[in-house]
Amino acid sequence: MKRAIFLDCDGTIIVDKGYLSDPHDVMFEPDAVAGLRAMAASGFALVVVSNQSGIGRGLFPRTAADAVNGRLAEMLLQRGIALAGIYICPHAPDAGCHCRKPQPGLILQASAELDLDINGSFMIGDKQCDLELARNVGATGILLTTGAGAKTEGWARENGFGVCTSLLDAMGCVQKP
Ligand SMILES: [Mg+2]
Ligand SMILES: [Zn+2]
């Protein structure tokens, strides 16, 4: 079993533009690429877990989301970083699915398919749902203050989560496997 770093997408890896549906709008957060490169070099599987409810809300088709996610994977590959997978919840918040964060579905599916050690893994994101997801599956949650993260910093500290300013900074919270 391999340890993973589960990563939120919007506000964590890329700038959160709100229901992103155009591949041209994929822009990295500061130090995201350097952080991901260091994490991959440390032997972690890098797995994106993302709520993309714009699909379920009818704002854009699944194909648009796939194009954005494909563009992200391609831009990372061009920078020498291979993602182990991108797992998305396409459902609307009221759909009652088991994959919308903080429900554990995405991480459970990824872990089964990629043979990952969830308890030895990390979940990094900019929202409370990302940290609650970490807690729900028994991974270690880290809040980034990028994206919407500043709003959740107080709650994260009160609840014992690590708080970092970028993915590169988060490397300091992530031990070598
Ligand atoms: Mg986010
Ligand atoms: Zn879902």
Side-chain angles (χ1 to χ4, degrees), residues 9-12 14-20 27 29 126-127 147-148:
C9 190
D10 290 0
T12 299
I14 65 176
V15 177
D16 189 349
K17 301 200 173 175
Y19 302 115
L20 184 60
M27 281 181 48
E29 284 281 357
D126 69 320
K127 290 189 177 169

Side-chain angles (χ1 to χ4, degrees), residues 95-126:
C97 70
H98 297 289
C99 51
R100 181 174 169 82
K101 298 182 291 185
Q103 299 298 315
L106 296 180
I107 284 186
L108 296 182
Q109 184 190 351
S111 299
E113 292 180 359
L114 304 172
D115 193 27
L116 303 173
D117 165 19
I118 299 181
N119 293 315
S121 296
F122 296 82
M123 170 71 219
I124 304 178
D126 69 320

Side-chain angles (χ1 to χ4, degrees), residues 157-168:
R157 291 190 188 283
E158 281 166 26
N159 285 273
F161 293 100
V163 177
C164 297
T165 57
S166 71
L167 285 173
L168 185 58

Side-chain angles (χ1 to χ4, degrees), residues 51-63:
N51 287 345
Q52 300 191 348
S53 69
I55 301 166
R57 295 174 201 261
L59 301 177
F60 48 81
R62 173 78 189 224
T63 49

Side-chain angles (χ1 to χ4, degrees), residues 58-147:
L59 301 177
F60 48 81
R62 173 78 189 224
T63 49
D66 289 344
V68 168
N69 297 326
R71 176 71 182 139
L72 170 64
E74 175 188 285
M75 288 171 71
L76 287 173
L77 261 187
Q78 287 167 350
R79 290 159 177 80
I81 300 157
L83 296 175
I86 299 178
Y87 292 80
I88 71 165
C89 165
H91 306 111
D94 60 0
C97 70
H98 297 289
C99 51
R100 181 174 169 82
K101 298 182 291 185
Q103 299 298 315
L106 296 180
I107 284 186
L108 296 182
Q109 184 190 351
S111 299
E113 292 180 359
L114 304 172
D115 193 27
L116 303 173
D117 165 19
I118 299 181
N119 293 315
S121 296
F122 296 82
M123 170 71 219
I124 304 178
D126 69 320
K127 290 189 177 169
Q128 188 170 327
C129 69
D130 297 309
L131 302 181
E132 290 175 338
L133 170 60
R135 195 160 59 187
N136 288 343
V137 298
T140 301
I142 298 172
L143 181 79
L144 291 198
T145 54
T146 50

